[in-house]
Amino acid sequence: MEQIKLIGIEKIYQGKGEAVRALSSIDLAVEKGEMIAIMGTSGSGKTTLLNILGLVDTLTGDTYFLEGKDVSTLADSQRAKLRNESIGFVLQNFGLINQYTVEQNVALPLHYSKIPRKTWKIRAREALENVGLAEKRKRYPTELSGGQKQRLAIARAMITKGSLLLADEPTGALDSRTSEAIMNLFLDIRKQGKTVILVTHDIHIAQYCDRVLTIEDGIISK
């Protein structure tokens, strides 16, 4: 079953000078449960593509189907709702709030959901157990290692139980041993039926994935 289908996707940024074409004629189909790596040089368009897949950025044209629904023309509020319900993000710099406990950090996406507040703590503890951080729930991010911070970021991304996980250089700030542990965690998530798409510059990380897409100058290589 196709979870994602892009048809002729383009992204053009209009600045004060001439327009900059970040993506050009992107066609892509992703099956539910796939794990895909996107590789490319700096400025190639890989993060722009990830942001469009995650409904963070809008496309200039043509069509994006997510789980069979055309999301290309959704209003901002509709995109935000769908993003919070269906998509989790993992960032290279973790994106944690140091003033919040581990438990409070992992529960952040629930503030924007319709999930009853009384179930937040249950969901948070379940998510932390899944990444091996349940015993750290009262600690703060500054008390965690880099690998623990990334596992916390993954737990937060998955707490709404969305079907799509997007990760931008998720191992870029980690050593090789910790990177391996994080990638094994992504493999476990994929086994649960989730779709995982990650941007990486590391071919060793890409080899964990089912497919590797190479993008250069906004075009996916065939």
Side-chain angles (χ1 to χ4, degrees):
M1 173 185 173
E2 283 183 348
Q3 183 167 13
I4 290 171
K5 188 169 185 178
L6 304 181
I7 304 172
I9 293 298
E10 294 188 343
K11 179 61 182 181
I12 299 172
Y13 292 103
Q14 188 68 55
K16 293 182 179 179
E18 65 180 76
V20 176
R21 185 179 295 274
L23 297 176
S24 180
S25 300
I26 298 285
D27 294 326
L28 176 64
V30 178
E31 297 292 321
K32 188 173 179 61
E34 273 197 284
M35 185 160 157
I36 294 176
I38 301 173
M39 300 192 73
T41 57
S42 178
S44 61
K46 56 187 186 295
T47 297
T48 299
L49 177 57
L50 199 72
N51 286 338
I52 284 176
L53 290 172
L55 303 177
V56 173
D57 205 352
T58 56
L59 51 88
T60 308
D62 203 335
T63 310
Y64 173 14
F65 290 98
L66 178 61
E67 297 183 345
K69 180 179 182 179
D70 184 355
V71 299
S72 311
T73 58
L74 291 181
D76 289 347
S77 59
Q78 293 173 308
R79 287 211 322 275
K81 181 177 183 293
L82 183 58
R83 182 170 62 242
N84 192 62
E85 292 174 349
S86 303
I87 305 170
F89 284 90
V90 180
L91 307 175
Q92 180 179 354
N93 65 357
F94 316 127
L96 304 174
I97 299 176
N98 288 334
Q99 293 77 21
Y100 286 9
T101 64
V102 165
E103 189 172 72
Q104 289 170 329
N105 266 281
V106 79
L108 274 174
L110 301 182
H111 289 252
Y112 310 100
S113 73
K114 293 183 178 179
I115 296 169
R117 183 178 287 269
K118 63 183 179 181
T119 66
W120 288 6
K121 187 166 288 189
I122 296 171
R123 280 280 191 99
R125 291 187 179 182
E126 180 184 81
L128 290 171
E129 285 172 3
N130 287 339
V131 299
L133 287 177
E135 76 285 357
K136 304 284 187 182
R137 66 181 186 274
K138 298 302 182 184
R139 300 289 184 87
Y140 289 86
T142 53
E143 301 176 81
L144 303 181
S145 68
Q148 289 171 333
K149 289 178 181 178
Q150 194 59 292
R151 282 192 280 154
L152 173 55
I154 292 170
R156 183 185 57 194
M158 299 306 299
I159 195 169
T160 58
K161 300 187 178 181
S163 58
L164 176 61
L165 180 64
L166 304 176
D168 194 355
E169 297 284 4
T171 62
L174 307 176
D175 60 50
S176 58
R177 184 175 178 180
T178 307
S179 296
E180 181 180 356
I182 293 301
M183 291 310 299
N184 284 326
L185 182 54
F186 281 135
L187 288 173
D188 288 341
I189 290 170
R190 188 196 64 174
K191 288 176 184 176
Q192 297 169 20
K194 313 290 187 183
T195 303
V196 181
I197 302 177
L198 59 92
V199 162
T200 183
H201 67 279
D202 188 338
I203 188 61
H204 299 294
I205 295 301
Q207 288 171 348
Y208 282 86
C209 299
D210 302 312
R211 280 196 286 157
V212 180
L213 306 176
T214 302
I215 186 168
E216 290 296 337
D217 298 323
I219 301 171
I220 291 180
S221 302
K222 302 297 184 183

